[in-house]
Amino acid sequence: MPQSRKAIIIGAGPAGLAAALRLHQQTNIQVTIYELRAEPTTLGGAVGIQPNGLRLLDRLGVYEKAAARGFISSNLTLHSMQGHIVAQQDFVGWAREQTGFGYMRIKRTDLVDVLLGAVQKAKIPIHFNMRLTTIKESDESVHVTFGDGSTDTADMLFGCDGIHSFVRRAYVDSKKTLEYSGMSGLGSIIPTSILSSSTTTQITGLDATLTEDGMLAVNPCSAGKDELFCFFSKEVGLPNSGDSRDGWAVHRKEEVDGFKSAMLETLESAKGEWGIAMKEVVDSISVVNFYPVYRLRPGGVWSRGRCILLGDAAHAMSPHAGQGVSMALEDVFLLSRLLEDPERPLKKAFEIYDRIRRPRINEIFKLAAQNAQVRKKTGPWGLWLKEVQFSLAMTLSWVFGADKRGLRQGHLVYDVDEVDLV
Ligand SMILES: Cc1cc2nc3c(=O)[nH]c(=O)nc-3n(C[C@H](O)[C@H](O)[C@H](O)COP(=O)(O)OP(=O)(O)OC[C@H]3O[C@@H](n4cnc5c(N)ncnc54)[C@H](O)[C@@H]3O)c2cc1C
């Protein structure tokens, strides 16, 4: 019987918690998680998870618990500012038939809480309030030190510490820099109890409205439909002070303060029942979170020695493909499969991982960047053109049965557990 191996996981977001669970399920590796924050973060509003990711949550044994909290519907309705419906479709219908999973919108806190519950049930050690300060390697092990002076040693380390990853910056790839995508997201979670019933009954799933300034979308994010995630994706330039923390702090405050009046101004010409509903939703917002969307361009180094980056730490992308969580889950599942065989050297496992993951990540990065285009600022004619294009695309897709054949849904049925490892 080979000796059990030990892994350190840095970060208790979706990637870190899922990695701990999968390694615990599938390998003889003993994991310990270290998280910077004193408790799970509230950042992220509500995330949409697609069939390829939901299937993996199911294999982790947490899908039912997540489904009991999130809102499941893949009904996409695109509304116009004139008050009519431009297009309507079940946007993952074919993928659901293939995989058995649809689309879930769930508060990030609920997702993390469900994963954390499973981690605790499995008795996997997790330490909060731990700031990683150094990573060192010898031939036999990786050694870490934290801000409080405590240390740990293991056979391998997973950097699951998100887009600003310390593991990436300090150890794996110090050359890689973040890039501002030019887009920002403004989001708010609203209790539906404060909205009129004529507004809530109009919201059936993911309801989006194209405006000249960007895209405004609403989507219930809790199982009882008692909370609604409202988010606006728009182009926002870098502040004059550049990409500095101070510049963003001022900019952020201005964005938040001005959000409601700017949105109501954007929606001023919105007509019909839907226009009234959107104005009511925006007017009821009391807290706005502002997320400038940064990303890591494809390429760069994902592993060094005994350390590897997973999730956003390796490949943060713009959220417009709705695949960030699913990409983190796919990373975790592939790596866990590769580490299942204790005889496979770590270096070999990381090499195979890199070869299999690169094309998939590049494909989704490209898709996310393409999807961002429709959210860019435009004039009245540009908006009209976008609506016509959407309407035509959906009508043609329906007429020729492309939606039934899974056009543009191929990436949603990708099963990382079926990928050939050789
Ligand atoms: C506006 C916006 C909307 C999004 N919408 C979606 C969506 O609809 N669907 C979707 O799938 N994805 C979406 N995403 C992306 C998704 O949130 C991320 O891809 C996902 O959270 C990545 O998980 P992660 O665990 O890799 O990183 P994170 O979620 O960032 O978690 C990293 C964890 O590491 C911790 N950490 C950081 N530094 C350290 C350190 N030095 N030591 C220890 N711990 C550390 C952090 O506190 C955090 O808990 C969106 C992102 C944004 C910004």
Side-chain angles (χ1 to χ4, degrees), residues 10-16 34-37 41 44 46-49 103 105 108 130-132 160-163 166 185 291 293 310-313 319 322-326 328:
I10 304 295
Y34 294 94
E35 163 62 38
L36 179 70
R37 293 173 196 270
T41 167
V47 288
I49 311 180
Y103 181 73
R105 176 73 62 174
R108 192 182 179 284
M130 299 297 281
R131 177 178 293 279
L132 183 63
C160 303
D161 47 347
I163 186 164
F166 175 84
Y291 311 101
V293 175
L310 301 178
D312 274 12
Q323 281 286 337
V325 169
S326 301

Side-chain angles (χ1 to χ4, degrees), residues 8-9 35 41 45 90 134 150 168 206 213 260 299 317 400 403 411:
I8 290 168
I9 294 179
E35 163 62 38
T41 167
D90 178 348
T134 61
S150 59
R168 183 186 70 244
L206 181 53
D213 287 336
K260 276 169 71 170
M317 52 183 78
F400 292 107
D403 52 344
H411 65 289

